[in-house]
Each structure stands twice: as structure tokens, then as C-alpha cells.
């Protein structure tokens, strides 16, 4: 951790040199604040991640239209028995938009876009939500949020104000929220989240093919989608050949599950 801190500090010193040469200038106090912010990012706690997540989601709520009608009623009915993520109470909302998207955060927030609900049946929708919850349970979202804040901390060298978590400006929260939504997960992380979506669907009483069907549908949407419907979840789920491999894995998992369920029980 100390080594990474020193690397960040060295990068800041390099950036400060560039600033001085171009006439922008970075004073010593500003650079010290930037280093302090970077150190906070490196040592950020789970509680701080939850706080930053809550602030980012609150920002997203403020810039999106929160739907409280039929979409909200459908989501709450589907999620009626799901009360928490890792022991944190769930906070559900629907954004009214044509975008095909959804996300979950470590503070218990789950946000589903009405565009996703328009193209998914209940089983497929629950699989996608389970996938997003899987990223939280597997701590992928924590890592993504931490990286996002670390990137912000590094940029502070160009105009640091010493702002830390709990006192972030609206513009910074907007940047963090957007970067978080655009976070890219590894193939291993996506495989694990798919498996979480697969298990989540079954646990909620839906077909074991739900995760597979959602992946296939997102690939189909991607092949003929307009830019107005393009979104983070659609892009993340629909890149070839990676998503084809993921769909094949989920199909095999569903077939194995069905076969196991059809085997006679031993006495």
C-alpha cells in the first residue's frame, strides 16, 4: 500500500511540474492536499465506500426521473421477498428512461431503468438484478468505487482543495457516479456475477434458464440497437465473443441443474 501511495505521489509531482511549465501552477498546499486525498483513497474503509456509494446514488437520483407508477410497482412486487444485500437493507428505485440499464451498490441501493424492464420478462429481469447484486456480494462494486475515488484523488494535484468524502461537490459526485457506472469488470468477475444471477433466479422461483435468456436477449438488442438505447449494462453484457461464452456457460449450468432435479431421489 505504501509503495502505491509513493507511486501516486510521484505521479502528482510529475503533473505539478507540467502545470508549472504551462503556466497553470500548483502550490505546495494544493499538492499536500492531493497527497492526503490519495492516502485517504488508499486506506478507504467499507463504511466510507458505503457513504460514497450513497452520495453517488443520491446524485444519480437527482439527475434522473424517478418513476413511482407501474414500473415501480412491478419491481417492488418482484423484489418483495428480497430485503437486503449483505445485511444492508435494500433501497429500490426505477429510473424512467429508454436506456437499458441497472446497477446495485454496497449501500443497498438498487436502481433499475424502465428501458430494461420494457425488454425483459420477469425472470430475465430478476436474473439481471441478481447479476448486479452478485457484483456487490463479490465486492466488485467496492473495488470499482475505490478505483474511481483513487482516480479522482490523483487528479486533485491539478487543483486540489482538500475535499474528502462527506464533502464532495456536485460536479465531483457526477464524475464519480458516471465513472462508477462505466466501470469495466474482468471476465472472472462477470462469470461469478452470472453465476450469482443464475442462483438468484432459481432462489426466487424462476427458470434456471433465466440468466441465459437475459444474456441472449441483450446480445440481440446490441446487434440492432440505436444509440438512444445504448447503456452500460447493454454494452457490458453484449460484447462478442465474451458474452457468447457467458451465455453458453449459463446454458450448460441450466441444463445440468434441470438434469440434477430430474434425477430420482435416493432413499
Amino acid at each position: 500500500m505504501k509503495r502505491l501511495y509513493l507511486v501516486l505521489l510521484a505521479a502528482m509531482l510529475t503533473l505539478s511540474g507540467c502545470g508549472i511549465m504551462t503556466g497553470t501552477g500548483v502550490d505546495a498546499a494544493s499538492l499536500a492536499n492531493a497527497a492526503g486525498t490519495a492516502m485517504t483513497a488508499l486506506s478507504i474503509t467499507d463504511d466510507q465506500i458505503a457513504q460514497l456509494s450513497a452520495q453517488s446514488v443520491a446524485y444519480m437520483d437527482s439527475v434522473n426521473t424517478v418513476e413511482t407508477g407501474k414500473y415501480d410497482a412491478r419491481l417492488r412486487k418482484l423484489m418483495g421477498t428480497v430485503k437486503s444485500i449483505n445485511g444492508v437493507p435494500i433501497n429500490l428505485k426505477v429510473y424512467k428512461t429508454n436506456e437499458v440499464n441497472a446497477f446495485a451498490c454496497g449501500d443497498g441501493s438498487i436502481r433499475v431503468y424502465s428501458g430494461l424492464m420494457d425488454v425483459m420478462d420477469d425472470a430475465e429481469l430478476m436474473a439481471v438484478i441478481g447479476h448486479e447484486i452478485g457484483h456487490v456480494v463479490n465486492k466488485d462494486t467496492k473495488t470499482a468505487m475505490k478505483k474511481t475515488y483513487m482516480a479522482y484523488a490523483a487528479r486533485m494535484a491539478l487543483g486540489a482543495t482538500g475535499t474528502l468524502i462527506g464533502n464532495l461537490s456536485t460536479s465531483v459526485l457526477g464524475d464519480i457516479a458516471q465513472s462508477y457506472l462505466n466501470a469495466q469488470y474482468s471476465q472472472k468477475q462477470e462469470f461469478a456475477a452470472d453465476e450469482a444471477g443464475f442462483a438468484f433466479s432459481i432462489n426466487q422461483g424462476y427458470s434456471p434458464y433465466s440468466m441465459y435468456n437475459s444474456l441472449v436477449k441483450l446480445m440481440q438488442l446490441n446487434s440492432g440497437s440505436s444509440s438512444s438505447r445504448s447503456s452500460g449494462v447493454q454494452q457490458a453484457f453484449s460484447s462478442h465473443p465474451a458474452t457468447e461464452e457467458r451465455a453458453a456457460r449459463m446454458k450448460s449450468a441450466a441444463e445440468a441443474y434441470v438434469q440434477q432435479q430430474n434425477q430420482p431421489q435416493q432413499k
Side-chain angles (χ1 to χ4, degrees), residues 136-158:
V136 176
V137 173
N138 297 335
K139 299 185 178 181
D140 301 335
T141 55
K142 174 186 174 182
T143 301
M145 184 62 77
K146 186 171 182 177
K147 287 181 178 179
T148 298
Y149 186 68
M150 286 178 67
Y152 156 71
R155 290 199 305 273
M156 288 284 285
L158 297 177

Side-chain angles (χ1 to χ4, degrees), residues 33-90:
N33 284 332
T37 306
M39 196 61 195
T40 299
L42 291 173
S43 58
I44 191 170
T45 66
D46 288 352
D47 286 343
Q48 287 175 315
I49 287 290
Q51 183 183 1
L52 184 55
S53 297
Q55 289 176 322
S56 299
V57 172
Y59 169 82
M60 291 293 294
D61 289 350
S62 72
V63 297
N64 284 279
T65 300
V66 177
E67 202 273 348
T68 58
K70 63 179 183 179
Y71 290 95
D72 182 70
R74 177 189 172 196
L75 180 62
R76 292 184 184 281
K77 181 179 180 180
L78 290 174
M79 296 288 289
T81 60
V82 184
K83 301 299 183 182
S84 65
I85 304 176
N86 282 351
V88 179
I90 281 178

Side-chain angles (χ1 to χ4, degrees), residues 219 237 239-249:
M219 283 193 294
F237 275 76
S239 59
H240 294 266
T243 306
E244 291 179 341
E245 181 180 355
R246 290 166 58 191
R249 291 180 78 255

